[in-house]
Amino acid sequence: MADFDATLQGKRILLIIAGGIAAYKSLDLIRRLKERGATVRVVMTKGATEFITPLAAGALAGGTVYTDLFDRESEQDVGHIRLAREADLIVVAPATADLMAKMAGGHADDLASAVLLATKLPVLVAPAMNPAMWAHPATQRNIATLLADGIRLAGPERGEMAESGEAGTGRMSEPLAIVAAVEALLSGDNGADASAKPLLGKHVLVTAGPTHEPIDPVRYIANRSSGKQGFAIAAAAAAAGARVTLVAGPVGMADPEGVSVRRVETARDMLAAVEIALPADIAIFAAAVADWRPAHEAVSKLKKDGSGIVPPLHVTENPDILATIAHRRDGRPGLVVGFAAETDDVLENATKKLSRKGADIIVANDVSPANNVMGGAANTVHLVTAEGIESWPQLPKDEVARRLVHWIAGRVPTKA
Ligand code: CTP
C-alpha cells in the first residue's frame, strides 16, 4: 500500500451515508480517510443500503455499521447520543436533498437524522442530487438554513449525473476533495493551520448596497440592491483574518462582527469614504452604485403646480468608484475586484467591464428578475479574469462570499 501523510492521525470521523447513487464513492472515501490515519465509524440510512451494503462499508471501516435508531443491540452498545458525540467531525456524504431537508427542519425519525440533531460536532455536508433538485428553491432554502447553522459544504460539483447522464450542478465532490475539506476543517479547529486565516494582516475594503441620489428632501433615485452579498463578503473577509472596512450605502443590515463600517448615502459620499479608507491590499466593489444623480437637488420638496405639466428630471453621471480606484497610479490596491450586474450577454458584458474599468477580477452575476438575485438569498456567479472565466453553481450568498474570499486570497500579489 502506498504511504500517505498521516494528516488525520488520531481523528475520529463519523461518516453518514445517505441513499443516492453517489454512495458508491463513499466506500472510496472511507478508504481515503483511513489511509490518512483517521478512524471511521459509519451510519447508513435505509436508502443508502439500497445502493451499497453495510457489510462492504463495515469491512472497509473495520467495524459495525449503524443503520437503525431502534435496534436494541446497537442502541445498547453505542446509542445515537454516543454516536453524536464520540467523534471529531461528522461527514454526510452523499447528503441527499431529503436528508438536508430533515436537517434543516430538525427532524429525527431515523438514526442519521437523530444523530445530526443530537450533535454539537462540526458537520461537513457533501450534497449529491439531480441538478433540478439542487436548483429547486426548497433545497436552496435548506442549504441557506444549514449554512446559517454553521454547517460546512463540500461541493456539489458540475458534471454529468451518474444515473441520467444529465449535465448540471449536483454531482458529489470526489472523495479526495472531501478529504481535503475534512483536513482543512479539522486543522482549522486546531487553530494550527494558517490557511484557515489566509487574509491575516491584510486590509480589505468592501463597498456594498445601493446609493440614494436625492431629488429633493423627500425623494431619491435608488435601485433594488439589498447589500447582502457585500455584507457577506465583508464578514467572510473578517473571518479569514483580514482587517475589513465596509463602505455601505443605505441598507437596514447590522454591522458584521469585527468589521469597521462607514455608512454613506450617495455615490459621491461613497467615493469619498473609499478614498479615506485607502490604502488597502484588496478592494472589492460590490455596491450597486447609482449611475446617475439628479443634476440639481431641490432644497424644498417639489410640488405639483396644478398645470399637469411634469417637472423635468435632469440627471448627470456619477463618478465610477471602481474605475477611479482601479486606474489610480499611486495607492492602487494590490487586487481590485469589481462586480457586474447584468441582465443580458452576462459574460460578454462582464469581460468588457474587466478592461474598461481596469479591474483584476470581475464577479459577474445575472440579475434578471427571474433569478431573484437582488434582494434574494442566493447568487450564481462567474469569475472573469484575464486568464479566463470560472463559473460557480448557484449558492447561498454567504457561501459565495466564503468561497470568493478564499479564491481571492490565493491571488493577492505578494508585496515587492
Ligand atoms: N461601480 C462603481 N461606481 C459606479 C458604477 C459602478 O464603483 N458609478 C462598480 C460596481 O460597484 C461594480 C462595477 O462597477 O463593481 C460594475 O457595476 P455595474 O452596475 O454592473 O455596471 P455599470 O458600471 O453601472 O455599467 P452598466 O450600467 O453599463 O452595466
Side-chain angles (χ1 to χ4, degrees), residues 47-63:
T49 64
E50 303 284 343
F51 292 92
I52 55 171
T53 66
L55 200 63
L60 283 164

Side-chain angles (χ1 to χ4, degrees), residues 231-248:
F231 271 62
I233 290 169
R243 175 168 76 81
V244 183
T245 308
L246 171 62
V247 180

